[in-house]
Amino acid sequence: MIGRMEELAVAFGHKVMHVGVDPVDNPHALALYERLDYVPIDESWQKKAIFYDEVGNATEKEYWNINLKKQLG
């Protein structure tokens, strides 16, 4: 599927494909993108969020995102 998306991007004249992945929650996707020659770029981030259940108990969740790109063509 990723290969097909890359083909479509080239067909529409794009030279670069960008993807983002949470390396903590989805390390397998990160490894896949790296095997497919995607390289990290500097636009990565980390965020924290607090969620409350139905009785008001708080749970903190930390999100990470690594942005990667690949030259197409």
Side-chain angles (χ1 to χ4, degrees), residues 5-65:
M5 289 176 15
E6 292 172 357
E7 290 172 3
L8 289 170
V10 170
F12 282 98
H14 298 283
K15 307 258 187 247
V16 179
M17 178 77 82
H18 292 263
V19 296
V21 63
D22 184 328
V24 175
D25 286 344
N26 204 348
H28 298 293
L30 177 59
L32 172 64
Y33 289 131
E34 289 174 336
R35 282 195 309 274
L36 295 174
D37 298 324
Y38 284 79
V39 295
I41 57 177
D42 291 335
E43 299 172 7
S44 299
W45 52 263
Q46 168 190 2
K47 293 183 181 178
K48 291 183 180 179
I50 299 175
F51 298 94
Y52 296 91
D53 65 15
E54 61 278 352
V55 294
N57 296 317
T59 302
E60 186 174 273
K61 170 81 172 140
E62 190 169 50
Y63 295 93
W64 293 83
N65 185 71

